[in-house]
Amino acid sequence: MNPGDLIVRNATWLDIEAGDYCEGDLEIRDGRFVDVDAQPSVSDVREIDAAGAYVLPGLIDCHVHVTAHTADLPALGTDSPNYVAMHTARLMGDMLDRGFTTVRDVAGADYGLHDAQVEGLLRGPRLFFGGKALSQTGGHADPRGRGESYVDSSATCSHIGRVVDGVDAVRAAARDELRKGAHHIKIMAGGGVASPTDRIDSTQFSLDEITAVVEEAEAANRYVAAHAYTGRAINRALRAGVRSIEHGNLMDDESVALFLEHDAFVTMNLVTYWALMEEGREFGLSQENWEKVSVVLDGGMTALERAYRGGVNLCYGTDLLGGMHRHQSREFALRAEVVPIIDIIRSATSTAARLIQREGELGVIAPGAFGDLIVLDRDPLRDVSVLADARPSQVIQAGKVVAAGG
Ligand code: ZN
Ligand code: ZN
């Protein structure tokens, strides 16, 4: 029996594009769907019966940090990578249990974790990674307090970023991350919450530096993802060719026009601000950084509504740190206040797949796509809590049942 072969009988499965359910048996061979409406008759294949349940493509979270076992990101840099990997294994296994069969890590994960997942050493979602994020001196991934002068940017340290200044240096850093297999290059294009010396309203990197990184990523048929909150930071990044904006909480109307013009994506992550307000300090976020959270939380819901109404490509993201990772599915409930549930599901499946350059292969139930599925007890289009507050009764990845029991 091939472990990547599976037949899901009597499935009520969601056609993501149509936004409606189909009925039938789903056949997965060697990890991929071979047919979605034929009548498979073979008997040498494992079968599960999904009668009465609702079947969706496996979910994709486009903004995670699988190495962030603490919210105190500057402290992460002093941990042993081996120690961090043990935490990562736990965090990634939990993500899979929640139905996320694919994640995009946007600072921290590397080829070692990617390879371990592919080889089956590490139970977790498929991992798309960017290596270390590029930050200017004093930028969002510069971990130093004002009195500290040393930054360890060595390949093996656990810090999520590297500090680089100047066109030549950022170009070399981008090439270095691509050399190590990065699926995208992450840059810090504006201020952030969990960083010691920058302001939320700052822009970071010169236009020349951003343009150089975009050029390197595109040369390798990859793309740039930029951390940016304000309209000012977002708009200059989009104009410079950045394809993926992370957060975007303080975007303006011009941002919406630029997203459409460039067919760019925004990955918001309201849940992390909700969680940081609730629990950030007990998981290591400093008082000063905690106070920055309210600024971006207030803008987030308004920006989501603005982006949705404007027709911007929206992706599901969470950006949770430390013990707050357990709220990963709550983003569904927060977004449901302004976005129809089918469109939130698209943001976590088909639109996400387009962002990570795997359109038609991930986030969809169709011939040739990877056999990644979640089985839910109730209809998520009627009741978002089955996604937000419960776990799937079964999670299937490349035709293997990888989590079961709800
Ligand atoms: Zn960020
Ligand atoms: Zn992040």
Side-chain angles (χ1 to χ4, degrees):
M1 226 187 250
N2 185 328
D5 290 352
L6 182 73
I7 292 172
V8 182
R9 296 275 182 199
N10 308 306
T12 299
W13 59 273
L14 186 62
D15 179 331
I16 292 290
E17 198 179 343
D20 210 349
Y21 290 103
C22 303
E23 312 267 338
D25 297 338
L26 299 172
E27 183 177 357
I28 301 167
R29 287 283 180 174
D30 218 11
R32 293 184 187 247
F33 295 107
V34 292
D35 214 334
V36 294
D37 55 13
Q39 288 289 324
S41 57
V42 268
S43 57
D44 63 329
V45 171
R46 182 173 180 183
E47 295 192 10
I48 59 172
D49 188 350
Y54 295 83
V55 179
L56 271 59
L59 303 172
I60 304 171
D61 188 333
C62 293
H63 192 122
V64 299
H65 300 284
V66 298
T67 60
H69 69 87
T70 170
D72 186 2
L73 293 179
L76 196 60
T78 58
D79 281 348
S80 157
N82 299 320
Y83 172 76
V84 173
M86 297 296 123
H87 274 296
T88 300
R90 172 179 59 82
L91 292 170
M92 286 180 65
D94 290 346
M95 290 176 181
L96 195 60
D97 290 339
R98 294 183 201 107
F100 292 92
T101 51
T102 299
V103 296
R104 184 179 67 138
D105 187 285
V106 278
D110 67 3
Y111 59 93
L113 296 172
H114 171 270
D115 291 0
Q117 193 277 333
V118 169
E119 290 171 24
L121 297 170
L122 177 56
R123 182 179 168 275
R126 301 171 193 281
L127 180 63
F128 289 79
F129 68 94
K132 289 176 188 285
L134 277 47
S135 168
Q136 68 167 52
T137 290
H140 180 48
D142 185 336
R144 298 171 294 179
R146 286 180 301 173
E148 297 168 271
S149 60
Y150 176 68
V151 178
D152 180 359
S153 293
S154 73
T156 54
C157 99
S158 302
H159 185 52
I160 64 160
R162 54 196 287 174
V163 175
V164 281
D165 295 287
V167 169
D168 290 348
V170 298
R171 197 184 284 284
R175 287 177 181 171
D176 188 46
E177 296 302 338
L178 291 164
R179 175 183 72 86
K180 290 183 279 189
H183 296 103
H184 53 267
I185 299 295
K186 171 76 178 292
I187 63 169
M188 302 305 189
V193 175
S195 44
T197 63
D198 64 352
R199 296 167 49 109
I200 285 281
D201 62 4
S202 64
T203 65
Q204 298 178 5
F205 282 130
S206 68
L207 273 181
D208 285 347
E209 288 169 321
I210 297 174
T211 304
V213 178
V214 167
E215 191 181 32
E216 293 305 324
E218 288 183 352
N221 292 312
R222 301 294 201 233
Y223 67 92
V224 176
H227 162 109
Y229 281 105
T230 63
R232 189 161 71 109
I234 293 165
N235 299 349
R236 71 200 281 277
L238 289 173
R239 282 198 191 92
V242 167
R243 184 164 170 272
S244 172
I245 295 293
E246 310 305 309
H247 315 303
N249 297 43
L250 306 173
M251 74 169 76
D252 53 28
D253 289 334
E254 191 182 358
S255 314
V256 172
L258 285 164
F259 275 112
L260 299 182
E261 182 188 332
H262 293 271
D263 195 23
F265 296 73
V266 63
T267 301
M268 303 194 70
N269 46 275
L270 301 168
V271 67
T272 202
Y273 314 109
W274 175 85
L276 283 169
M277 290 296 281
E278 299 281 318
E279 303 171 353
R281 284 174 298 182
E282 65 187 88
F283 288 113
L285 190 73
S286 70
Q287 177 71 23
E288 273 167 297
N289 289 338
W290 185 76
E291 285 165 8
K292 292 189 201 172
V293 174
S294 64
V295 179
V296 288
L297 179 61
D298 293 345
M301 203 60 90
T302 312
L304 178 64
E305 194 162 16
R306 177 177 275 154
Y308 178 71
R309 284 186 196 284
V312 175
N313 296 318
L314 282 173
C315 293
Y316 188 96
T318 51
D319 199 23
L320 291 160
L321 308 174
M324 292 173 282
H325 272 104
R326 69 187 194 285
H327 300 302
Q328 188 177 21
S329 304
R330 177 144 294 278
E331 182 78 14
F332 281 103
L334 294 168
R335 290 192 184 203
E337 290 177 28
V338 291
V339 176
I341 298 168
I342 181 64
D343 287 315
I344 309 173
I345 293 172
R346 287 177 177 134
S347 75
T349 54
S350 55
T351 311
R354 198 150 69 79
L355 169 62
I356 60 175
Q357 304 177 306
R358 291 296 187 278
E359 187 176 17
E361 273 202 304
L362 293 170
V364 67
I365 298 172
F370 283 108
D372 295 359
L373 295 171
I374 59 172
V375 181
L376 305 173
D377 295 334
R378 284 171 283 134
D379 179 359
L381 298 182
R382 289 172 187 274
D383 177 7
V384 76
S385 73
V386 71
L387 285 167
D389 302 324
R391 293 187 170 202
S393 54
Q394 299 193 80
V395 180
I396 295 155
Q397 194 180 36
K400 293 188 205 88
V401 179
V402 288

